[in-house]
């Protein structure tokens, strides 16, 4: 486990009153989202390569564009970049809504909601993404597991960072109270 020291910066605002600024937890959430998108989109490509899923993560491009470059390395690279950007947004969403959940169940709920959102509501937007009725069991189960693991990764990581920040605040507050 990496031990990280969190320092608060004491500044004066315009009225001359001292205030403490929180450390940049949003920076950590963005990094979690970036690496979550990178890791789990590559795992999705691995699932497609191993024939666990019939749907390639490239569906995000192939549904909108019809070019030969999409099925090459460039298409994979651009797809991963898109998933990283979307993942940052999802991590920020998780931070905004569910950061106080201390258990793994927040991530499980988050991943399940993402899967339902993708295959339930957004499948008409993507022509290469099958609906529930068209999906075979392997694709449905593998994609569900993939998004479940993604949700757990983001959920546990974001909640951990939030809990660590709260713990550091309590420690610093108790240390400053002990000085007086």
């Amino acid at each position: 486990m990496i031990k990280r020291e969190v320092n608060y910066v004491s500044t004066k605002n315009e009225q001359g009153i001292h205030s403490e600024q929180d450390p940049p937890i949003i920076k950590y959430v963005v990094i979690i989202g970036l690496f979550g998108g990178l890791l789990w989109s590559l795992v999705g490509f691995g699932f497609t390569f191993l024939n666990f899923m019939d749907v390639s993560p490239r569906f995000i491009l192939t549904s909108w564009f019809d070019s030969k470059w999409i099925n090459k390395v460039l298409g994979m690279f651009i797809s991963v970049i898109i998933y990283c950007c979307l993942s940052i947004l999802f991590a920020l969403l998780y931070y905004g809504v569910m950061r106080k959940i201390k258990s793994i169940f927040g991530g499980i709920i988050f991943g399940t909601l993402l899967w339902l959102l993708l295959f339930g509501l957004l499948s008409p937007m993507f022509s290469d993404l099958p609906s529930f009725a068209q999906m075979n069991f392997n694709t449905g189960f593998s994609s569900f597991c993939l998004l479940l693991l993604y949700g757990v990764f983001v959920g546990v990581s974001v909640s951990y960072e939030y809990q660590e920040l709260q713990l550091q605040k309590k420690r610093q507050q108790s240390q400053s109270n002990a000085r007086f």
Side-chain angles (χ1 to χ4, degrees), residues 4 13 18 40 48 57 86 96 111-112 157 173:
R4 171 174 62 239
N13 60 13
H18 284 277
W40 295 107
T48 304
L86 289 172
T112 302
S157 300
Q173 189 176 26

Side-chain angles (χ1 to χ4, degrees), residues 41-123:
S41 64
L42 292 175
V43 169
F45 278 107
F47 276 17
T48 304
F49 178 75
L50 296 172
N51 293 323
F52 291 147
M53 294 189 309
D54 293 335
V55 178
S56 170
R58 288 184 177 112
F59 79 87
I60 203 157
L61 292 175
T62 59
S63 296
W64 300 92
F65 304 107
D66 188 25
S67 298
K68 293 183 182 192
W69 62 267
I70 293 174
N71 293 320
K72 302 205 186 299
V73 175
L74 180 61
M76 181 178 151
F77 182 70
I78 291 175
S79 296
V80 169
I81 290 173
I82 291 171
Y83 286 119
C84 288
C85 294
L86 289 172
S87 181
I88 290 169
L89 295 176
F90 290 142
L92 290 169
L93 175 69
Y94 188 92
Y95 175 75
V97 177
M98 302 174 74
R99 70 179 173 261
K100 293 183 180 182
I101 298 174
K102 293 181 182 179
S103 70
I104 195 172
F105 294 111
I108 290 172
I109 292 168
F110 187 65
T112 302
L113 289 174
L114 286 176
W115 188 80
L116 289 172
L117 176 73
L118 181 63
F119 286 99
L121 295 175
L122 297 180
S123 63

